[in-house]
Amino acid sequence: MKLTLRVWRQRDADADGGMTTYDVDGISPDMSFLEMLDTLNEELILKGDDPVAFDHDCREGICGACSLVINGEAHGPERTTTCQLHMRSFRDGDTIDVEPWRAAAFPVVRDLVVDRSAFDRIIQSGGYITAPTGAAPEAHATPVPKPDADTAFEHAECIGCGACVAACPNGSAMLFTSAKVNHLNVLPQGAPEREARVLDMVGRMDDEGFGGCTLAGECATACPKGIPLFSITRMNREYVRAARKSRR
Amino acid sequence: MALDTRTERRPSFAGLLWHSTVGKKTAMAVSGVVMLLYLVAHMMGNLKIFFGPDELNGYGHWLRTVGEPFLHHEWFLWIARVVLLAAVLTHAVAAFQLSRRDIKARPSKYVHKKARTSYATRTMRWGGVILALFIVWHILDLTTLTVNPRAEAGHPYQNLIASFDRWPVTTLYIVAMLALGLHVRHGFWSAAQTLGVGSAARDRVLKTVANLLALVLTAGFVAVPVAVVTGAVS
């Protein structure tokens, strides 16, 4: 396959960036999108140019490190992560636009790499449970109803990649935050911090400069793990409930 | 000596709501539902025009006597106006503050644009501004009668016909009602999500109710100027 890439290049956080056009040849349809970028980078290095910086780690679709907005869609045209997106989703001769995640809370570090540490700070504000350390407790000591376990697992699938923020017209982190809140709030292990968790995590989310939710639904469409839009509905319910109870 | 164990107290319920994005949306949802309930009543009242001047004018007069003798003449109307004004202001201020925040949260646009949200979703902000301007004009035209060509208090039927006999006014009114339909379509469903009522199981019902509400309200409101223009009511 022969492709034309238009890639966002930006030297550092303070520099002005812009789209640069590259032609790549000899791309196999079985390559992943990241392998295609590796091919481009090898060529750039041989020519003595700076390679394109992009985030990646496991390349198995489970770590949440890879990002990239491809042709205006977070993680590209398929419902998966960029590392699991294959070049067979494109056609020979295509022009592909590659941009970084765009949000005030995700500043560009270089080229396609953005700083997603705002997500870490949201997790630090309440995305945990208080549990004694040591040997794992007996699994049946705390019964969890099957529907609750399913709901928790559905939300636990979030890998924190930030595609929801990138896709949202308001740069909102509601889908991420709701996945993390609901995952723990629905379980008995998360019950002691149930109210504090949602209040603190939403508070942190707002402080980080993410936008609000207008229920455009772009986040759930972009999410590679299929976190549903109703995750946000559930968090809204949790928030009002917690705000009511927190004065006690 | 367990005096210092209590952790910091959180702000009040109202304070928590107003100072977070999630809470502010709750204020928007509640005020939106209040206005929506009013609109349904308003639309039903309007339809009395099809039963003649006496029916509509009588209805207008009755509105001023609701609650008597417990409430003084027109008190009910003034209570409703205060509640509605509070709802409009809450809705508008929250929308303004949230929109400003949203725009700031996404300072740089994508080079490759791909709009996938529905038309109703994308037009909520400007649609809301259009509706706010319309409400101001609408009150000046048919409540205070400042810009009404006939302006005879106590005769809403005749004032209304006089107003809709001007075609630019009728066009403006119909456009505003289409904007209202779009606003209600996304707004009602959104309010359900914001108030935590939505779920995958209820989504079809909520979307259907939103579409029905939008359709019935728009059709009900538009029927009046159309009837005047076509001469079905005169």
Side-chain angles (χ1 to χ4, degrees), chain A residues 73-134:
Chain A
E73 289 180 280
H75 290 305
E78 311 280 338
R79 194 191 191 92
T80 184
T81 54
T82 297
C83 63
Q84 292 294 301
L85 173 70
H86 290 86
M87 297 315 293
R88 65 182 81 100
S89 302
F90 301 91
R91 275 179 310 189
D92 191 31
D94 272 2
T95 299
I96 306 173
D97 290 335
V98 191
E99 297 173 75
W101 281 177
R102 291 285 186 208
F106 285 170
V108 173
V109 177
R110 185 191 171 97
D111 295 341
L112 302 169
V113 178
V114 298
D115 179 0
R116 283 173 280 186
S117 56
F119 268 14
D120 299 337
R121 292 187 289 274
I122 293 177
I123 293 290
Q124 281 164 6
S125 69
Y128 52 80
I129 61 161
T130 305
T133 53

Side-chain angles (χ1 to χ4, degrees), chain B residues 12 21 75 90 193 215 221 230 232:
Chain B
S12 66
T21 50
W75 273 22
T90 309
Q193 309 310 320
L215 201 72
F221 280 124
T230 56

Side-chain angles (χ1 to χ4, degrees), chain B residues 96-156:
Chain B
F96 178 75
Q97 292 177 345
L98 284 170
S99 296
R100 250 188 24 170
R101 188 193 168 85
D102 293 347
I103 292 163
K104 230 173 85 182
R106 185 66 179 279
S108 29
K109 305 272 167 271
Y110 289 110
V111 175
H112 192 117
K113 288 181 182 65
K114 202 157 205 169
R116 281 177 305 190
T117 49
S118 73
Y119 187 73
T121 313
R122 272 181 283 135
T123 51
M124 284 307 272
R125 284 178 190 143
W126 284 111
V129 172
I130 290 173
L131 287 175
L133 292 174
F134 168 77
I135 291 169
V136 171
W137 177 83
H138 189 54
I139 289 172
L140 289 176
D141 183 26
L142 292 169
T143 308
T144 65
L145 304 173
T146 319
V147 296
N148 190 280
R150 188 182 157 96
E152 203 177 316
H155 294 83

Side-chain angles (χ1 to χ4, degrees), chain A residues 6 8 19 69 71-73 97 99-104 165-171 174 196 199-200 202 205-207 209-216 218 221 229-230 233 235-237 239-240 243-244 246-248, chain B residues 6 9-13 16-17 19-23 25-26 98 101-118 121 125 186 189-203:
Chain A
R6 297 201 305 159
W8 183 265
M19 299 295 269
V69 169
N71 283 342
E73 289 180 280
D97 290 335
E99 297 173 75
W101 281 177
R102 291 285 186 208
V165 177
C168 177
N170 311 321
M174 286 285 278
L199 295 176
D200 290 343
V202 168
M205 176 184 86
D206 287 350
D207 290 346
F210 290 104
C213 180
T214 50
L215 290 151
E218 295 262 17
T221 312
L229 190 60
F230 303 111
T233 312
M235 180 170 76
N236 288 336
R237 193 160 61 224
Y239 190 89
V240 175
R244 215 159 18 87
S246 71
R247 290 286 278 177
R248 283 199 209 140
Chain B
R6 199 172 175 106
R9 283 178 73 85
R10 290 188 188 274
S12 66
F13 178 62
L16 262 175
L17 289 192
H19 293 294
S20 77
T21 50
V22 173
K25 275 293 292 246
T26 311
L98 284 170
R101 188 193 168 85
D102 293 347
I103 292 163
K104 230 173 85 182
R106 185 66 179 279
S108 29
K109 305 272 167 271
Y110 289 110
V111 175
H112 192 117
K113 288 181 182 65
K114 202 157 205 169
R116 281 177 305 190
T117 49
S118 73
T121 313
R125 284 178 190 143
H186 182 70
W189 179 82
S190 270
Q193 309 310 320
T194 303
L195 297 173
V197 205
S199 70
R202 284 193 208 130
D203 199 45

